[in-house]
Amino acid sequence: MSTLRTNDDSWDIASSVGSTAVMVAAARAAESELPEPLISDPYARLLVDGVSGLSWQNLLEEDIIAKVADVDLEAAGLFRHMRNYQAVRTHFFDAFFVEAAEAGIRQVVILASGLDSRAYRLAWPAGTRVFEIDQPKVLEYKAARLTEHGVAPAAECIQVAMDLRFDWPKALKDAGFDPQQPTAWLAEGLLMYLPGEAQDRLFENVGELSAPGSRIAAETAGKQSMDRRAQMKERFEKLAETVGIERPDVDIAELVYDDPNRADVAEWLNAHGWTATALKSTDEMRRLGRWQETVPSGDNDDAFSTFVVAQR
């Protein structure tokens, strides 16, 4: 279980779970700036550069990775692996929304949206409404930063400032969500920050709000031993001292919940009125040519997430 989390903790974009959204956006920014990027997120760099005091901003940049490679080639491969994973994950869920829109769905909910910019960068059909749910300070930062730079959403974007551990269904409906309309839901970069019981409750709430024809996509929580995490943390600290790079401000291992009783997402959905399929993220990385063969041997397929898609 997490040692830094409490049942009523909160955060802004530069602290706790909120700061991990900066890491994810930094990975999207670094990927988008490669000569042949897998994804294009024109707003990721803008969102990352507005946050000060964090080390996530440059950790996955190619020049930093090159410095690491001079000292530890395997560690450099791990850094590229981290960036590649975020690119593949973004690519997969972008496609999920494109397919949902092509199927006629015009109501979208992004759970724990963080610095997700899909409401601004995807080509949404006319009449699409995108609801973003997250902590108030996280949503405030993103909206203010994009508005300040003249960036307007590509669909009607409705922010719902609510902690997902509380009565977010009521807040969502109060914001104009229509449970009678098919909805495309996304739980990306979320489930690992919830205990198993909270994960079940989240999907129960989603099910109660989902009309026939609704779809959901989710990234499951990967499994990595505590010993493995401790080894990687020690290795990175030594590397940081040698190369002169900043240590991450937050230890993600201290934020996530390693719940041995966590339900298998695809199995749970299939047992609760959905038809779900699961795809190992490692298989998708290999399919897209983004698997690093130099990844440390301890990072096997179980350490990575599974992408689950289901239809009501």
Side-chain angles (χ1 to χ4, degrees):
M1 300 294 285
S2 171
T3 59
L4 294 182
R5 304 294 307 285
T6 62
N7 290 334
D8 59 354
D9 58 334
S10 62
W11 49 85
D12 59 18
I13 197 61
S15 64
S16 187
V17 177
S19 68
T20 66
V22 181
M23 180 271 288
V24 173
R28 293 199 308 267
E31 173 68 28
S32 297
E33 292 161 5
L34 292 177
E36 297 182 5
L38 182 63
I39 62 169
S40 176
D41 186 339
Y43 308 121
R45 179 66 61 195
L46 175 66
L47 291 168
V48 170
D49 286 349
V51 182
S52 60
L54 291 178
S55 62
W56 296 121
Q57 283 95 325
N58 59 8
L59 193 58
L60 299 181
E61 303 291 345
E62 194 59 36
D63 58 340
I64 297 296
I65 295 177
K67 289 175 63 176
V68 171
D70 290 338
V71 177
D72 188 334
L73 189 61
E74 189 178 70
L78 179 60
F79 278 29
R80 286 198 178 92
H81 217 57
M82 292 167 59
R83 188 180 65 201
N84 286 350
Y85 173 77
Q86 296 296 339
V88 169
R89 183 179 86 168
T90 301
H91 182 270
F92 182 88
F93 293 124
D94 280 0
F96 163 76
F97 279 130
V98 170
E99 292 174 5
E102 290 175 347
I105 294 176
R106 297 294 181 266
Q107 186 167 252
V108 171
V109 179
I110 302 177
L111 302 163
S113 57
L115 296 183
D116 187 300
S117 63
R118 291 185 175 96
Y120 297 80
R121 64 179 178 80
L122 293 186
W124 299 102
T128 301
R129 309 176 80 199
V130 180
F131 294 86
E132 298 184 330
I133 307 179
D134 212 319
Q135 293 273 352
K137 292 181 179 179
V138 173
L139 293 178
E140 289 171 7
Y141 166 77
K142 179 167 65 176
R145 181 72 176 168
L146 293 173
T147 299
E148 177 186 351
H149 289 79
V151 180
E156 182 181 1
C157 183
I158 303 165
Q159 294 191 332
V160 182
M162 176 59 64
D163 191 308
L164 287 169
R165 293 167 295 186
F166 305 133
D167 193 3
W168 62 267
K170 180 181 184 303
L172 183 62
K173 288 185 286 188
D174 288 347
F177 174 86
D178 183 359
Q180 302 304 312
Q181 290 188 30
T183 304
W185 303 83
L186 176 62
E188 177 188 26
L190 165 61
L191 300 184
M192 66 282 294
Y193 302 115
L194 297 176
E197 289 183 5
Q199 174 180 299
D200 292 349
R201 189 162 60 250
L202 177 82
F203 287 126
E204 288 170 358
N205 286 329
V206 168
E208 292 173 359
L209 294 169
S210 295
S214 293
R215 302 183 181 195
I216 186 168
E219 173 197 22
T220 68
K223 300 177 182 179
Q224 194 175 74
S225 71
M226 295 303 293
D227 288 343
R228 176 61 178 160
R229 285 178 173 168
Q231 291 171 5
M232 293 307 298
K233 181 179 180 181
E234 180 180 0
R235 180 177 185 176
F236 182 80
E237 288 178 348
K238 291 180 179 179
L239 184 65
E241 292 178 1
T242 303
V243 180
I245 59 178
E246 293 184 65
R247 294 178 177 85
D249 315 87
V250 177
D251 184 353
I252 294 180
E254 296 296 324
L255 298 177
V256 302
Y257 287 87
D258 289 313
D259 192 337
N261 298 317
R262 185 187 299 276
D264 178 280
V265 174
E267 291 179 0
W268 192 99
L269 290 171
N270 278 323
H272 290 81
W274 299 82
T275 300
T277 58
L279 173 66
K280 288 184 177 181
S281 62
T282 50
D283 289 343
E284 186 69 351
M285 292 176 76
R286 292 183 176 99
R287 184 184 75 83
L288 294 171
R290 289 307 185 95
W291 180 264
Q292 287 285 318
E293 295 301 334
T294 56
V295 66
S297 58
D299 286 334
N300 54 31
D301 281 16
D302 288 339
F304 289 80
S305 70
T306 297
F307 300 149
V308 177
V309 175
Q311 185 165 345
R312 192 82 167 168

